[in-house]
Amino acid sequence: IVIGPGSLYTSVLPNLLVDGIQKAISATQAVKVFVCNVATQQGETDGFSVGDHLSALQRHAGQDIVHAVIANNNIVQELPEAWHSAPVLLRKDPHPALGTGVRLVEGDVVASENRYRHDPAKLAAMILRVYDERHMLVLPAAQPVKETPALATR
């Protein structure tokens, strides 16, 4: 399961808040990967690091929502001022969210022609790398899902 990339609060998280989605994700034994954005979004994630993105995801969707986070490590100091954005950084001091058993996978996943976006080929290769190295992830047993009727009948 690949979560992201996309606007954290207006695209990624709303999909995870739909009734039953978190339960379904928790119930599967699939590898769960969060693709962190390569750049901040004005008014939404200003100043966010990779750990801040993951922390927000865990706070809203549960601590065990992902096994790994993919983060760009091909950082330039500044993006064009017109973008009102900055690169999402990996802090030198470890973020508490990255100490929760989630594996941090760093790589060059940014598009060279538009550093505000992921490069599809680079990102696909990184996702496949995470899958190929899934033996290195902490994969807890799937949680049973209690089904509740969506519609009560007489």
Side-chain angles (χ1 to χ4, degrees):
I1 296 174
V2 179
I3 299 172
S7 299
L8 183 63
Y9 290 103
T10 55
S11 293
V12 175
L13 287 173
N15 287 296
L16 296 173
L17 299 177
V18 172
D19 190 40
I21 296 294
Q22 289 177 34
K23 286 182 185 177
I25 292 172
S26 292
T28 183
Q29 292 183 343
V31 174
K32 302 162 202 167
V33 181
F34 172 55
V35 177
C36 190
N37 291 337
V38 296
T40 61
Q41 187 172 3
Q42 183 184 19
E44 189 170 317
T45 57
D46 295 317
F48 271 37
S49 68
V50 172
D52 295 327
H53 278 82
L54 178 60
S55 180
L57 181 71
Q58 290 174 327
R59 190 170 50 255
H60 294 284
Q63 286 293 115
D64 62 346
I65 193 70
V66 294
H67 302 119
V69 58
I70 293 175
N72 179 53
N73 66 1
N74 181 1
I75 306 290
V76 294
Q77 292 303 320
E78 294 182 23
L79 296 175
E81 188 174 324
W83 291 1
H84 303 286
S85 184
V88 174
L89 302 174
L90 289 161
R91 292 189 177 155
K92 295 192 188 304
D93 56 324
H95 193 283
L98 294 170
T100 60
V102 176
R103 180 171 177 233
L104 175 63
V105 182
E106 300 177 46
D108 176 4
V109 293
V110 71
S112 56
E113 66 282 354
N114 182 351
R115 300 194 65 81
Y116 190 75
R117 303 269 184 236
H118 289 86
D119 179 286
K122 291 178 183 179
L123 182 55
M126 189 64 63
I127 291 168
L128 290 173
R129 177 180 147 201
V130 171
Y131 182 76
D132 288 343
E133 297 174 355
R134 64 191 175 278
H135 63 279
M136 298 172 70
L137 302 174
V138 177
L139 302 175
Q143 302 297 316
V145 177
K146 287 184 177 179
E147 290 297 323
T148 55
L151 177 64
T153 59
R154 294 184 208 211

